[in-house]
Amino acid sequence: MPFDRSELELSESAMRAMVEQAMARIVPHIVSLPEQPAQDLLGADELALSLLEPLPQVGTNLESLLDLLFDQAVPKTLNTASPGYLAYIPSGGLFHSAVADLISDSVNRYVGIWAAAPALVQIEANVIRWFCEMVGYPKTAGGILTSGGSIANLTAIIAARVDRLPEDFLKGTLYTSSQAHHSVEKAAVLAGFPARNIRFIETDEHQRIRMNRLAERIAEDRAAGFMPFLLVVNAGTTNTGAVDDLDAAADLAAREGLWLHVDGAYGGFFVLTEKGRRMLHGIQRADSITLDPHKGLALPYGTGSLLVREPRKLRQTHHASADYLQDMQVDEEKIDFSDLSPELTRPFRGLRVWLPMKLHGVGAFGDHLEEKLELARLALDELKTIPGIEIVAKPQLSILAFRLKPQGMDQAGLNELNHRFLERINAPQRIYLTPTMLDECFVLRIALLSFRTHRDRMLVGLEDIRAAAAEILGSVQDP
């Protein structure tokens, strides 16, 4: 029998009620973030296994589903939206972007090609132009929004491969720092290169790539019949926030005919600060740049970007035709994002950047990042006053690394001690730190990037670090 109306099509009153019910849980959740644990994974595995369920045959009321999410599933996580979350690379998740996603998902317009939604494509293109302006790219530059830095790095490596190498590219070699994000290696392999073609160049005492060793390795590879084509450098590493010498990298890339890609997923947006502009000078000379708005601009996860000096190089890599796409235009001013990236179908990501940027202006984001630089300096100064603490990596931007180092312990003993130190710091759940390995050293990281993290929470965290250090050192001195 014919249907007059789909059950899936909600009435006006049902739509309003659904949003109101969700907001009744979302707003108290956000407001209470300062009081929530920075992480709570106790019993999380058991909870997850209890949620295994068959395909639902009948519907469930929204209220009970919201109860499940907010009372059970959401709390048993790393609380990445917490002001105490100082781990990995914090995001934040501006509420403005959640509103933007509600709008973009509700209107559900297709923005892969200009002809489908010209004004909406232009809004997203404006966002890319803003990013290009931030880094000092010319007005002719362009790019795409992606799901994150991993896809941005992959897209850049493939574009570099197409631009610099012949179709038989397996002699191509690419160069990056030993401190590079793992997505660079993963992207190179996905782009078709054997892992043995990736050259990880050692770093100096500040975890920056050694340019002299890089030049030597390129010469060695050319002499052995390889084709060096790509250099990936860091504008803020995940481990310590290290920034490579971008001007020197640009000089070397120009001499050697390499595509220069800057991975600025974490640190790139610090160009909005005075210190960041100094540290990142030379970024504007890169062929391509990865920036993650879901890091430096505090947007929700799933918001990355790739900028390119010459957009035609993305187009020559990704353009494809089909009978059903006959109406696609060719005017370069009218951008088809599907011609610049692997995606044909794609979400309208631009609105989640455009809305908060338009509401506040770029200055608010620069102030946010300036505050993070100040908090990193505060953390460094206070850590230096705690007995037994060794600063392993001073903050070049807003990440620093440290450890406990009592006298008379070998490396294995220090690593085990610092495991316990980390557990003790995280135990009160007021902050959450994560570790990394630098050479053979197990070290703790403070990563400051959340727009919710301010001086008060940093001081609370330092109290917990000081207390944990005293307790652990006391156990060593008085076994």
Side-chain angles (χ1 to χ4, degrees), residues 209 211 214 231 233 244-262 281-287 309:
I209 192 169
M211 290 295 170
L214 172 61
L231 171 59
V233 290
D244 291 325
D245 186 336
L246 303 185
D247 268 317
D251 290 342
L252 184 146
R255 288 195 308 271
E256 298 288 349
L258 307 183
W259 178 295
L260 177 63
H261 177 66
V262 174
H281 191 270
I283 194 172
Q284 74 281 0
R285 300 172 61 189
D287 293 287
R309 174 174 287 277

Side-chain angles (χ1 to χ4, degrees), residues 11-164:
S11 67
E12 178 181 348
S13 61
M15 286 188 282
R16 292 183 183 279
M18 177 174 283
V19 173
E20 288 170 2
Q21 281 181 277
M23 290 302 295
R25 305 303 297 266
I26 292 169
V27 172
H29 171 78
I30 293 175
V31 170
S32 67
L33 278 170
E35 288 74 49
Q36 293 177 26
Q39 59 83 22
D40 182 4
L41 295 175
L42 183 63
D45 289 346
E46 293 79 5
L47 171 64
L49 293 174
S50 76
L51 296 180
L52 285 169
E53 58 181 332
L55 177 69
Q57 300 298 323
V58 296
T60 306
N61 70 79
L62 177 60
E63 194 63 33
S64 64
L65 298 177
L66 292 173
D67 287 344
L68 169 64
L69 290 172
F70 283 92
D71 296 342
Q72 297 184 62
V74 171
K76 290 298 178 180
T77 58
L78 301 182
N79 193 346
T80 52
S82 164
Y85 186 80
L86 311 178
Y88 299 112
I89 304 290
S91 174
L94 286 174
F95 182 74
H96 320 55
S97 294
V99 174
D101 283 355
L102 175 61
I103 295 169
S104 61
D105 291 349
S106 297
V107 302
N108 196 35
R109 294 300 192 268
Y110 174 63
V111 296
I113 61 174
W114 174 278
L120 301 184
V121 172
Q122 186 60 62
I123 284 174
E124 189 157 322
N126 287 347
V127 168
I128 293 295
R129 289 180 187 273
W130 296 342
F131 291 172
C132 289
E133 182 179 345
M134 290 175 191
V135 300
Y137 261 179
K139 291 182 179 180
T140 52
I144 54 172
L145 295 182
T146 70
S147 61
S150 295
I151 297 300
N153 286 340
L154 172 62
T155 305
I157 289 174
I158 295 174
R161 188 198 76 195
V162 171
D163 186 65
R164 301 297 168 103

Side-chain angles (χ1 to χ4, degrees), residues 454-465:
H454 305 296
R455 182 182 177 87
D456 57 346
R457 183 57 61 116
M458 192 67 256
L459 292 175
V460 163
L462 289 163
E463 285 179 8
D464 290 347
I465 293 171

Side-chain angles (χ1 to χ4, degrees), residues 203-216:
T203 57
D204 61 19
E205 68 274 17
H206 302 296
Q207 291 80 48
R208 299 168 181 163
I209 192 169
R210 291 185 183 273
M211 290 295 170
N212 57 346
R213 179 60 188 128
L214 172 61
E216 291 170 356

Side-chain angles (χ1 to χ4, degrees), residues 156-423:
I157 289 174
I158 295 174
R161 188 198 76 195
V162 171
D163 186 65
R164 301 297 168 103
L165 293 175
E167 287 188 4
D168 182 4
F169 57 80
L170 292 183
K171 284 288 187 179
T173 50
L174 52 155
Y175 304 81
T176 192
S177 158
S178 61
Q179 295 294 303
H181 193 270
H182 82 281
S183 65
V184 174
E185 179 180 13
K186 184 176 181 179
V189 172
L190 290 174
F193 293 95
R196 64 180 177 273
N197 287 32
I198 308 167
R199 311 296 192 236
F200 294 101
I201 307 301
E202 54 264 36
T203 57
D204 61 19
E205 68 274 17
H206 302 296
Q207 291 80 48
R208 299 168 181 163
I209 192 169
R210 291 185 183 273
M211 290 295 170
N212 57 346
R213 179 60 188 128
L214 172 61
E216 291 170 356
R217 190 60 199 271
I218 291 170
E220 292 167 4
D221 284 335
R222 287 198 196 280
F226 290 100
M227 295 182 288
F229 80 101
L230 171 66
L231 171 59
V232 180
V233 290
N234 297 298
T237 62
T238 299
N239 271 346
T240 64
V243 178
D244 291 325
D245 186 336
L246 303 185
D247 268 317
D251 290 342
L252 184 146
R255 288 195 308 271
E256 298 288 349
L258 307 183
W259 178 295
L260 177 63
H261 177 66
V262 174
D263 185 352
Y266 150 65
F269 282 112
F270 280 97
V271 293
L272 297 177
T273 70
E274 183 179 349
K275 178 182 179 181
R277 284 189 292 275
R278 292 196 309 271
M279 293 286 298
L280 303 176
H281 191 270
I283 194 172
Q284 74 281 0
R285 300 172 61 189
D287 293 287
S288 56
I289 304 168
T290 290
L291 297 175
D292 270 358
H294 64 209
K295 294 184 176 76
L297 299 186
L299 302 189
Y301 291 119
T303 321
S305 68
L306 174 67
L307 310 183
V308 288
R309 174 174 287 277
E310 297 181 67
R312 66 178 179 82
K313 295 186 176 181
L314 282 183
R315 191 172 290 109
Q316 74 185 11
T317 302
H318 296 96
H319 173 74
S321 59
D323 291 340
Y324 45 81
L325 298 176
Q326 290 182 45
D327 295 332
M328 291 175 67
Q329 50 73 36
V330 294
D331 185 344
E332 289 191 5
E333 289 298 311
K334 299 175 181 178
I335 297 171
D336 289 335
F337 288 118
S338 63
D339 256 1
L340 304 179
S341 80
E343 296 177 302
L344 178 59
T345 302
R346 63 194 301 282
F348 180 27
R349 296 187 181 98
L351 199 64
R352 56 165 48 188
V353 187
W354 181 86
L355 186 62
M357 192 69 71
K358 289 287 287 185
L359 286 171
H360 294 283
V362 69
F365 294 90
D367 291 344
H368 148 63
L369 291 170
E370 287 280 10
E371 181 192 25
K372 302 298 106 60
L373 295 176
E374 291 177 5
L375 291 179
R377 288 191 290 268
L378 169 66
L380 176 65
D381 291 343
E382 291 298 317
L383 286 174
K384 287 178 178 178
T385 70
I386 300 176
I389 292 286
E390 177 192 32
I391 304 298
V392 181
K394 294 181 180 179
Q396 295 178 37
L397 293 170
S398 67
I399 297 175
L400 65 155
F402 65 100
R403 64 174 178 168
L404 268 183
K405 190 181 180 183
Q407 294 182 349
M409 270 196 172
D410 62 15
Q411 192 61 64
L414 286 172
N415 287 349
E416 190 279 329
L417 181 83
N418 279 279
H419 272 284
R420 291 194 284 124
F421 183 34
L422 178 64
E423 291 174 357

